[in-house]
Amino acid sequence: MLDTAAEALAAARDAGFDALAAEQKRFLDDFWAEADIVLDGDPALQQGIRFNLFHLLQSVGRDGKTNIAAKGLTGEGYEGHYFWDTEIYIFPVFLYTRPEIARKLLEFRYALLPHARARARQMGHASGALYPWRTIAGEECSAYFPAGSAQYHINADIAYAIKLYDEVSGDPTFLREAGAEIVMDTARIWLGLGRFVDRLGGRFGIYEVTGPDEYTACVNNNYYTNAMAQMHLAFAADVAERLRRDHPADFARIVAAIGLGPDEPAAWRAAAEAMYLPVDEVLGIHPQDDSFLEKPAWDIAQTPAENFPLLLHYHPLVIYRHRVLKQADVVLALLLLGDRFTLEEKKRDYDYYEPLTTHDSSLSSCIYSILASEIGYHDQAYAFFMETARMDLDNKHGNTPYGAHLAAMAGAWLSLVYGFAGLRAFNGTLRFAPYLPGHWSHYRFMVRAQGRQLEINVDGSGVTYRLRSGEALTVLHHDRAVMLTAEQPETFIAD
Ligand code: IFM
């Protein structure tokens, strides 16, 4: 550390203040030209969105050796550790605005793969790699395992980000150079953790894990974990096939590096196909886990306001025995794997889980905002967005002095771009479903995808899609194809 700091200092002294200031100005000008979001109608909100983007940019590691801490560079909360916040919340913002930074975040995970292998052995897995729930240099730093190491979904979250990068960035090299090795070695953990269960008619169950909701710990068949593991296993099998066919030398290198057996990809496929993902017959919803629906509901309405967040006022066991959520769990699966659910299913799950959710985690409101937008609950979407967008400027969670909430800052971007503008990219095709919240007259944002840059303007009259750079691209406006070309870069679709 000292050597690195001395080198940086010497380089800065050589360059001089003026040159450094000019370089920084160029860097920031470029960023704002490409990543700014403009909102007309609410200056305070505009300030919140820019404040968030600034913190994300200044906090993110850009060298493949550092990542982005849950509190960014602003405070000592969470001891500077990196979590799944990176892949599920922050990564997409960079993927769509600065894909080269998104790649660096994934390279960071690649650099830590040896630690993840060592961690898997420590946790009793004979093969594979298991990423730590919280870390800086690769070792697991969770002090409290039920809300830490038990969150095995981190492996699938990282695989999800690699899949999204592969489908959206237009960069053909990362997967074969690094991503595939991560995806395959981490997929093996599911086979070590779960099993085909006779009592479930041969379905594949996953046991003793904690899902995203940290008010429910160490459970069997957490829906989010099972659904994400299914995606991960199927993706790993696809990647193995693709590499073997298209890049045999890379495939051979990875097989040798991880000691991949010839039958393993087929076993991943079989586990994915048999994954246990139940629907409750009576409620028509996806149970959060095997025992969740049997627990008594926490009486949120009768809980004194000063007793939130619950984790600071009740023993964890008291909370775990109740049907109460700290943050989106099933509802997050509905977003990330949204092409597998009908709108009716999404509504039923949202209606069931939202009243049970305290949103004590700052990672919650933005996800509910996005889902509320998708199912047409526009007022709720806006209210949840407002919770997120100025969370730290207004100290909404009362703990900003410990540091800003970087995942929520990214969540505000997601609530707007995934929520109000409805962006999804299943299999790499960008689909938008924009609407204008009643409080604004206009909003504008830009996204980079497949090596192109697009600008999207939404106002009271409709939506304009504009190709700012790159070759022709077809995007979807709801289900209508919109072709943008160099000759005809702009299309307006009236409301
Ligand atoms: O990763 C999160 C977790 O989901 C909820 N508690 C805080 C962590 C760090 O932001």
Side-chain angles (χ1 to χ4, degrees):
M1 286 293 282
L2 280 177
D3 289 347
T4 312
E7 266 171 40
L9 200 57
R13 208 183 288 117
D14 287 348
F17 180 84
D18 292 342
L20 289 175
E23 186 191 325
Q24 173 156 6
K25 181 166 178 346
R26 247 191 331 270
F27 176 78
L28 287 172
D29 285 348
D30 284 355
F31 177 73
W32 291 114
E34 292 204 330
D36 194 17
I37 292 185
V38 175
L39 297 175
D40 293 331
D42 191 336
L45 194 54
Q46 174 73 75
Q47 181 192 38
I49 296 289
R50 290 195 173 135
F51 177 76
N52 294 343
L53 280 170
F54 173 71
H55 273 285
L56 288 164
L57 182 68
Q58 80 159 356
S59 310
V60 72
R62 288 183 283 272
D63 56 4
K65 296 177 192 146
T66 51
N67 200 270
I68 181 164
K71 301 290 188 188
L73 301 175
T74 61
E76 294 184 6
Y78 296 128
E79 294 87 27
H81 291 157
Y82 315 138
F83 294 76
W84 73 312
D85 306 32
T86 299
E87 281 75 17
I88 298 299
Y89 291 78
I90 298 166
F91 170 85
V93 178
F94 286 109
L95 173 65
Y96 285 112
T97 57
R98 280 298 172 114
E100 60 283 2
I101 295 180
R103 178 174 170 139
K104 289 292 172 196
L105 291 172
L106 299 179
E107 285 176 9
F108 167 84
R109 291 295 189 183
Y110 186 61
L112 297 193
L113 201 44
H115 287 284
R117 290 186 179 120
R119 177 65 178 163
R121 300 299 93 73
Q122 222 174 37
M123 295 299 285
H125 302 293
S127 67
L130 173 62
Y131 277 99
W133 176 243
R134 50 192 286 175
T135 192
I136 293 180
E139 289 90 4
E140 174 62 272
C141 298
S142 300
Y144 176 64
F145 76 85
S149 304
Q151 297 201 46
Y152 269 63
H153 64 85
I154 181 86
N155 263 15
D157 302 331
I158 293 169
Y160 170 85
I162 293 171
K163 184 167 183 285
L164 194 63
Y165 182 83
D166 184 53
E167 291 171 350
V168 170
S169 69
D171 169 1
T173 59
F174 178 74
L175 191 71
R176 62 175 192 264
E177 286 171 6
E181 190 174 334
I182 301 179
V183 168
M184 292 197 257
D185 216 9
T186 51
R188 295 165 126 180
I189 294 299
W190 301 119
L191 273 291
L193 188 65
R195 55 190 178 277
F196 297 91
V197 181
D198 289 342
R199 271 190 71 243
L200 300 180
R203 311 305 290 170
F204 190 85
I206 297 178
Y207 297 87
E208 216 55 38
V209 295
T210 298
D213 166 30
E214 294 179 344
Y215 283 174
T216 307
C218 298
V219 292
N220 299 332
N221 294 311
N222 166 254
Y223 189 86
Y224 176 90
T225 306
N226 285 21
M228 291 291 282
Q230 180 185 51
M231 172 281 303
H232 184 179
L233 287 159
F235 181 50
D238 291 346
V239 165
E241 256 172 57
R242 239 168 89 184
L243 242 60
R244 186 190 288 123
R245 186 188 60 226
D246 300 338
H247 302 285
D250 289 307
F251 186 67
R253 175 179 48 77
I254 296 170
V255 167
I258 70 175
L260 187 73
D263 301 333
E264 287 191 70
W268 301 335
R269 181 86 66 204
E273 282 169 4
M275 189 61 70
Y276 181 58
L277 292 165
V279 175
D280 183 78
E281 301 273 314
V282 179
L283 299 167
I285 60 153
H286 300 100
Q288 185 169 306
D289 59 64
D290 282 355
S291 58
F292 188 79
L293 301 183
E294 294 157 19
K295 295 175 180 172
W298 187 283
D299 194 344
I300 293 182
Q302 294 303 317
T303 305
E306 62 275 16
N307 284 7
F308 293 94
L310 301 182
L311 77 154
L312 296 186
H313 300 275
Y314 302 90
H315 192 280
L317 286 175
V318 176
I319 300 176
Y320 296 165
R321 286 184 200 123
H322 284 86
R323 201 161 14 112
V324 61
L325 286 81
K326 183 182 181 194
Q327 64 206 96
D329 195 291
V330 169
V331 168
L332 181 56
L334 302 179
L335 167 65
L336 303 181
L337 307 169
D339 53 345
R340 304 180 182 188
F341 303 95
T342 65
L343 208 57
E344 279 314 309
E345 285 177 305
K346 289 178 187 176
K347 273 193 183 144
R348 278 199 299 271
D349 281 338
Y350 181 102
D351 289 343
Y352 183 81
Y353 286 106
E354 199 290 316
L356 298 172
T357 307
T358 58
H359 306 289
D360 280 350
S361 164
S362 62
L363 281 72
S364 193
S365 304
C366 55
I367 304 303
Y368 276 92
S369 174
I370 300 167
L371 255 293
S373 280
E374 186 174 351
I375 60 180
Y377 293 0
H378 294 321
D379 290 345
Q380 285 192 37
Y382 200 75
F384 281 128
F385 170 70
M386 291 304 280
E387 268 301 298
T388 306
R390 287 181 55 95
M391 183 175 287
D392 290 308
L393 280 176
D394 297 339
N395 193 14
K396 294 240 186 210
H397 276 229
N399 56 8
T400 298
Y402 296 105
H405 301 79
L406 272 284
M409 288 177 155
W413 188 98
L414 297 176
S415 302
L416 200 142
V417 176
Y418 283 13
F420 304 144
L423 171 62
R424 299 289 186 279
F426 299 118
N427 303 316
T429 303
L430 302 195
R431 179 179 188 275
F432 298 88
Y435 75 96
L436 182 69
H439 309 69
W440 309 339
S441 51
H442 161 245
Y443 63 97
R444 185 199 81 182
F445 63 95
M446 283 161 282
V447 291
R448 275 169 65 182
Q450 320 293 5
R452 281 82 160 180
Q453 193 188 35
L454 304 179
E455 178 182 324
I456 293 93
N457 277 275
V458 184
D459 65 20
S461 61
V463 185
T464 306
Y465 295 95
R466 188 154 83 88
L467 182 66
R468 285 169 59 115
S469 65
E471 291 171 12
L473 182 72
T474 299
V475 299
L476 296 176
H477 172 86
H478 297 273
D479 291 325
R480 166 175 167 187
V482 177
M483 180 143 170
L484 304 166
T485 64
E487 296 71 40
Q488 268 213 317
E490 207 165 285
T491 299
F492 170 73
I493 298 178
D495 247 358

